Amino acid sequence: MDKQTDKVAASILVIEDDRFIGEMYVRSLRAAGYKVDWLIDGGEGLGAASSGKYDLILLDIMLPEKMGDAILRELRTPDDRIPNTRIIVMTNFEQDDSSRAATEARADAYLIKADITPRRMLEIVEQVLA
Amino acid sequence: MTAQAPRPKPAESMSGDENKINPPRIGNFHPKLLSRSWLIFFVAQWIVAGLVAAVFVLTVDIFSLSIAVLISVSVLLVIESLVGYFLLKQTLKPIETIARCLIYIRGEPSNLPLPDRDNPKFIKSGLGLLLNTILDSASQNNNQPVTDEKYQIYRDILEALPVGFIVMNPERKIIASNSLAPIHTAPDKKHSIQLDFTNTNDSLDDWLKQVCGNEIESEKIWSHVQNVAPNQPDRRVFDVIAHYRQNAPNGAEIVVVTVDRTTEYWGEEDNADFVALAAHELRGPITVIRGYLDILEQQLGSQLTSEQHELIDRLNVSAKRLSSYVNNILNASRYDHKHLKLQLREVTIDSIMDYIKDDMALRAKTQNRTITWQVPAELPTVAADLSSISEVLANLIDNAIKYSHDGGQIEITARVEDGFVAISIADHGVGIPSVVASNLFSKFYRSHRSRDTIGGTGIGLFISRGIIESHGGHIGVQSTEGEGSTFTFTLPIYATVADKLETSADNESLIREGGSWIKNHNRLEQ
């Protein structure tokens, strides 16, 4: 990825179906100066994510139309379709061992939303984009 | 049978006139075979000679004598080679029958049926008695199923077993199986065991490669083996027991027993899935409450009165506690289903304390308690899963806050004790009657008194014990009713267990934080 990308200009796609949670992250990310798009639907999310125009994707797992782990699989295998995009899986769903291993192989971070405040989320976003 | 053997006992069933004239004896077999073969050979030779003579007579008038001889000899050779094959096949037929019988006794795979030893032709020639003698003595010597009826009984028993049963020879060819065995038949009719060992440490094939020829006898058990990959129909899950015995009778060296555990295992998984889904639903609102509190605090921080700050703190503490409860429930469910996985690594006692210190201090402050941390500087490192141990410590401090009096003090201490580091959490609260102390660590157990006065589920101590025991440590309590309680848990000193811990480069590349992780790209790219 282009590590020289200015943090303020970095563009982020949030794929999150919970309105309150989505709004909360979008609000915090925009306040921190990021360009943010927000999609609710997993199918649309995959389409937008495939474009490769984002520096970072915040991806929920339990999504309508297409689950986040399926999106992750399609984006990262067999060839990495978006090598310049980091992906943070943010979920409240506790995965089983096999999906956990699959996520570890493909995502750049995995966060339990209930354990992370927006402030901590911003720190991690900054760390992952660094 | 030897020549000295006692006279064969004529079977009662063979008392017909025919048998009186010509009683069956194995001794008859060879002379009869010889005379029959000779008769066939003699007749055939005369026919061949006649044919060749005819050819000679017909050709000698047309060609010269030498050409006629040449043609006749050629015809002789062609006819002899064809007739010879037919003659040998006929005369060696009894040998083939005996061979089929022996193939059956050896248990070699064969499409040919067992010869009918009651065939009247066999009885007359003595072959029937020969077959009976071979089969009966094999039955006595090897205790093998030798008659169709007996064989059928064994087949029926195998079919009635509630497990799959597969027998393979040293070449790994399936020589027997029942219908419950997970066997795949390829279009070319080749049978193979249909089990997917990709999720296990080693496969049946790997194990057989190790033991076949190298060991006299060996056994291995696998659990949770699926027959097909996920997303395929008719997916089942098995426990598999494989047994190898070198030079076993009948070539049955490898025996594989499969126990279909689909209902039990996937029933369990359904249950665990339900807990995961329920946790997901609970965590949604917790995320929103914690998130917006964080945002509100940031935006209003300077305008809030100290009382309002206090209220925000209480909300924060409560939301965080709720989040810990959900983690407790998830861990308890994993522990119940033996899915609790710990990442043991070298950690300092300070790092465990630091992980939760701020949260706990806030939690104590909102309930007017104080916590003192007395941890000696020179403590050795321990082998622990940081986030799980922090949950244990948080659970114990939470209890100490709950069961102590307003303004009370909670003391956290640590010391070395017989290869372990012991961490104690002491309060000066209500204490626990000695009769209930032993039940404290059971799931959902709460003492009679506390049930009415203090909230909680009783799951915290249960999962705390699970986590500590999974570390190889112990947890216990000393308490005096009315004076307070001291909970103590121990963790193994890292140096005492370091060689037993799995180290994985992959783990090193992840920075873990509770259930979350962040990939350490710097390390990965090195």
Side-chain angles (χ1 to χ4, degrees), chain A residues 3 20-21 23-24 62 86 92 94 97 104 107-115 117-120 124, chain B residues 277 280 283-284 287-288 290-292 294 323 330 334 341 506 510 512-513 515-517 519 521 525:
Chain A
K3 296 202 170 166
F20 285 175
I21 297 178
E23 200 268 338
M24 187 172 86
M62 302 289 259
R86 302 277 201 215
N92 276 327
E94 209 62 28
D97 289 341
E104 274 184 26
D108 298 286
Y110 173 90
L111 308 176
I112 303 289
K113 288 186 278 192
D115 291 347
T117 59
R119 263 187 275 192
R120 181 74 190 120
I124 292 167
Chain B
L277 284 170
H280 173 257
R283 278 170 163 176
T287 309
V288 177
R290 288 191 67 191
Y292 280 120
D294 187 57
S323 184
L330 275 168
R334 285 195 204 116
K341 292 247 166 71
D506 181 52
L510 299 180
R512 292 187 184 271
E513 204 176 289
S516 310
W517 53 258
K519 227 168 239 180
H521 284 283
E525 283 157 14

Side-chain angles (χ1 to χ4, degrees), chain A residues 16-123:
Chain A
E16 166 64 68
D17 67 322
D18 186 304
R19 293 207 86 82
F20 285 175
I21 297 178
E23 200 268 338
M24 187 172 86
Y25 290 150
V26 171
R27 176 196 289 256
S28 301
L29 289 166
R30 285 195 179 137
Y34 295 103
K35 284 195 289 183
V36 187
D37 288 334
W38 174 20
L39 289 172
I40 287 175
D41 176 274
E44 285 176 21
L46 175 61
S50 309
S51 70
K53 67 174 185 173
Y54 295 100
D55 298 306
L56 174 71
I57 298 168
L58 296 188
L59 178 63
D60 188 17
I61 295 279
M62 302 289 259
L63 286 169
E65 297 304 321
K66 199 167 196 84
M67 294 281 277
D69 42 6
I71 295 176
L72 186 62
R73 197 164 52 236
E74 291 193 30
L75 289 175
R76 288 288 197 224
T77 48
D79 301 316
D80 194 346
R81 285 166 66 186
I82 46 166
N84 295 325
T85 305
R86 302 277 201 215
I87 301 177
I88 300 180
V89 172
M90 293 194 71
T91 180
N92 276 327
F93 185 69
E94 209 62 28
Q95 295 181 301
D96 61 32
D97 289 341
S98 58
S99 12
R100 201 184 310 231
T103 310
E104 274 184 26
R106 293 171 186 141
D108 298 286
Y110 173 90
L111 308 176
I112 303 289
K113 288 186 278 192
D115 291 347
I116 305 278
T117 59
R119 263 187 275 192
R120 181 74 190 120
M121 186 262 300
L122 286 177
E123 285 168 16

Side-chain angles (χ1 to χ4, degrees), chain B residues 8-26 117-120 122-124 126-133 136:
Chain B
K9 291 176 247 166
E12 288 81 352
S13 62
M14 293 174 185
S15 55
D17 290 346
E18 192 187 21
N19 293 325
K20 270 182 189 162
I21 300 160
N22 200 359
R25 288 180 58 214
I26 293 176
R117 51 204 162 134
D118 297 327
N119 187 327
F122 292 172
I123 293 172
K124 214 169 154 190
L127 181 58
L129 193 58
L130 181 65
L131 295 180
N132 274 331
T133 309
D136 289 346

Side-chain angles (χ1 to χ4, degrees), chain B residues 212-237:
Chain B
C212 280
N214 296 327
E215 297 196 28
I216 305 295
E217 197 163 3
S218 187
E219 186 172 277
K220 185 167 170 74
I221 300 175
W222 291 262
S223 186
H224 291 84
V225 182
Q226 292 170 25
N227 56 342
V228 291
N231 308 328
Q232 287 195 34
D234 303 325
R235 193 161 156 241
R236 317 286 303 165
V237 59

